[in-house]
Every structure is written in structure tokens, then in C-alpha cells.
Amino acid sequence: MVASAGGEPASTLAASRRLAALLALPLVPWPETGTATSRLAAQAGRGGPWLAPLLEDPGRWLEADGRWADLLGAWRQPTVLLVEEAVVDGGAAAAYSALLTASRAPLVGLVQWGGSWNWQARSREGLAWLGALSGLTEPTAGSSQEEQELALARALMLCWEQLVND
């Protein structure tokens, strides 16, 4: 599952596509009908790693179902938190991490979408940052951005495997 901290749905979808391509994982669309619980239940039955972009705020209240974060926790759905570069220095990453943790959603880690990656600044925050994903264009072969994304892919898959094997 890919949830977004303050991003627009179109940006979350674009980043989810890039992340799925980088990880060579299927990007699974959400069922278009049903309650949030039934839609998540349909996704949760899938085996192996896959990505589905949550295009709604994870803290959004869903009438009878609670919050998305609560459902992700109830279904023990591993979640990657995508943080757009525009809000990475604000409190959104910490707030959404805390919400997912309090909801007992297995947080794989946080991924910055776009912009320059500042490992020192991110490591001071004490959050589960995995790395950065470049913007809409793929990095050129042999570039530091490509190396950065390959490191992100390895870290993300390792964290996901640790979560599902615990």
C-alpha cells in the first residue's frame, strides 16, 4: 500500500507508478465500489508484494469504517508513506507516521517524492526514511540518482520482507 502525506491524488498515482516500476511490482487498482473495508479486504487477500496507491488522506474519517489508517492497521497492511518534496520539511511526515503507528499499520518506511535528497536532515528526524524517488522522469543510467533509487528499492524490499516474516 502506498499512502501519501499531503500529496495530490495525481501525484500519488504518478509516484506509485514509478515506485512499482522501480521495484518491478504490480500496481494494483482499487475496486471502484464497496465500503472501504470491503475494498481493502479485496486487496489484502493478494499474496506477495504489490502496490496499491491510497489516493485519499490516510487520516480521513470513513463513516462506519473509521479512518483509513485504522483499516490499514486492522488488516495489518504493510504501508509505504510517500512524502512529496514540497512538504518534506514540515510536520506531515512525522504526523502521518505517528498516525499509522498508533493505528498499528505496519509502516514499511517513508519515501520522499521529488526534489533533492538530504540524508542528514532526514536522519535527524528519527523517522523510518528509506530514501528518495526522483520526479516524473527516470534518472539516467549510472547517475547518482539511479544509484539512490536502487538503494531505495533494496531498502524497501528488505523492510517489507522483515515485516511480513515477523
Side-chain angles (χ1 to χ4, degrees):
M1 185 68 55
V2 179
S4 178
E8 293 295 317
S11 182
T12 300
L13 185 57
S16 297
R17 285 184 180 128
R18 286 264 299 116
L19 194 55
L22 177 66
L23 298 170
L25 294 177
L27 186 67
V28 179
W30 280 95
E32 296 195 20
T33 60
T35 65
T37 301
S38 67
R39 290 167 47 204
L40 187 56
Q43 300 293 48
R46 296 180 179 277
W50 49 269
L51 292 176
L54 178 60
L55 301 178
E56 298 179 46
D57 183 334
R60 179 173 171 237
W61 186 257
L62 305 167
E63 306 227 358
D65 293 316
R67 298 184 195 290
W68 273 113
D70 297 331
L71 290 175
L72 295 172
W75 284 93
R76 304 294 302 148
Q77 184 59 56
T79 304
V80 174
L81 185 60
L82 181 67
V83 183
E84 285 196 59
E85 187 270 335
V87 299
V88 78
D89 287 325
Y96 280 103
S97 292
L99 174 65
L100 290 166
T101 299
S103 299
R104 306 187 94 195
L107 183 58
V108 178
L110 288 76
V111 174
Q112 178 180 313
W113 166 241
S116 299
W117 176 244
N118 184 341
W119 178 250
Q120 289 179 332
R122 302 293 73 83
S123 64
R124 283 192 300 264
E125 295 171 348
L127 300 174
W129 287 103
L130 298 174
L133 190 60
S134 62
L136 294 174
T137 59
E138 292 193 28
T140 57
S143 70
S144 63
Q145 263 190 330
E146 183 187 47
E147 291 173 14
Q148 192 176 71
E149 288 192 1
L150 292 174
L152 166 64
R154 286 190 298 272
L156 203 150
M157 291 306 289
L158 179 63
C159 290
W160 182 86
E161 287 174 13
Q162 288 174 338
L163 276 175
V164 297
N165 291 328
D166 282 347

